[in-house]
Amino acid sequence: MRARVHAGDPDAFRELFDEHVRSVYNHAFRLTGNWSTAEDVVSLTFLESWRLRERVDVDVEGSLRPWLLGIATNVARNVRRAARRHDGALARLPKGGVVPDFTDETAGRIDDRERLALMRKALAALREPEREVLALCVWSGLGYAEAAEALGVPVGTVRSRLSRARRKLDRLTTGGVRSPGEDREPPSGHGQQEGDREIAVRSAQEKTR
């Protein structure tokens, strides 16, 4: 697959999309907190993957999922920066009439929107690099080495960012009470860490009690 993607094989990219689009979409939503923006990130991620196909290392084995999630992380950063610039430009415009906001109406179709809102509020207190490594290691289930590959940073940086992110979430949501074994190495290639995700969800819920 790596060789075929590197060579620009269209069939390989279709297979790559079919296999990983859901994972990329979930990761994009966790970084942006917006369904529509996540869809834009997915589209841009696979366009970028085509543009960057020759950077795929064909001399190593393993899934291209970390590579795609790394591209998605960079795309999400750029999308957020563009959104901030757009919001800043709007804020400088003369005040006009109130424009109805249909966001809540759309979000009403999501059964777990309240829980997602609580989680986004807790995660918003983290620095961007900490949110990214948390999304990769906890939510997307990448190991330290895979997350390091996705972000283009050393493994030690991933470990320290994840540790800081967990400590901050502890302070913000549970008063610093940690669960035994929480600093264990994330498993590689086995999906999300359900235990850590449940801790994050439970912590966000407890914050509102």
Side-chain angles (χ1 to χ4, degrees):
M1 174 62 78
R2 283 177 174 266
R4 292 169 62 201
V5 168
H6 184 276
D9 181 350
D11 290 335
F13 271 88
R14 278 193 287 272
E15 293 173 22
L16 192 70
F17 180 89
D18 291 341
E19 183 176 356
H20 297 296
V21 62
R22 176 55 56 183
S23 179
V24 172
Y25 179 81
N26 289 340
H27 181 61
F29 176 73
R30 290 161 193 149
L31 292 178
T32 64
N34 182 282
W35 298 110
S36 178
T37 304
E39 291 175 353
D40 293 338
V41 170
V42 169
S43 298
L44 292 170
T45 294
F46 283 96
L47 285 174
E48 275 291 281
S49 70
W50 173 262
R51 187 177 71 83
L52 301 174
R53 61 190 182 277
E54 293 183 355
R55 297 187 184 181
V56 171
D57 191 345
V58 298
D59 295 325
V60 300
E61 298 181 356
S63 170
L64 285 171
R65 184 166 170 257
W67 178 65
L68 285 173
L69 294 183
I71 294 174
T73 300
N74 289 330
V75 168
R77 288 174 189 163
N78 293 334
V79 168
R80 287 196 298 269
R81 291 190 190 106
R84 286 195 293 268
R85 289 195 295 269
H86 177 71
D87 291 343
L90 290 180
R92 292 190 293 271
L93 293 176
K95 299 298 182 181
V98 177
V99 178
D101 185 354
F102 298 102
T103 302
D104 290 339
E105 178 181 342
T106 303
R109 295 175 298 174
I110 307 172
D111 293 337
D112 59 349
R113 63 188 182 277
E114 293 182 359
R115 183 173 62 177
L116 291 173
L118 291 172
M119 293 171 61
R120 289 200 300 271
K121 184 177 180 181
L123 292 173
L126 302 179
R127 293 173 58 246
E128 183 173 79
E130 295 164 350
R131 286 198 303 272
E132 291 170 353
V133 77
L134 191 72
L136 288 170
C137 290
V138 176
W139 290 99
S140 293
L142 297 191
Y144 289 137
E146 292 173 320
E149 176 189 348
L151 295 171
V153 300
V155 172
T157 300
V158 171
R159 290 176 181 272
S160 60
R161 288 179 183 177
L162 184 59
S163 179
R164 286 197 302 271
R166 283 170 166 165
R167 286 199 301 269
K168 287 183 180 179
L169 286 178
D170 284 341
R171 289 198 303 269
L172 291 168
T173 60
T174 64
V177 178
R178 299 176 62 80
S179 298
E182 190 173 345
D183 286 322
R184 65 187 181 278
E185 166 87 19
S188 174
H190 295 290
Q192 299 173 353
Q193 294 186 69
E194 295 299 333
D196 277 347
R197 189 170 77 170
E198 290 173 3
I199 291 170
V201 172
R202 186 171 62 250
S203 297
Q205 292 173 330
E206 290 174 351
K207 183 180 178 182
T208 63
R209 292 178 183 172

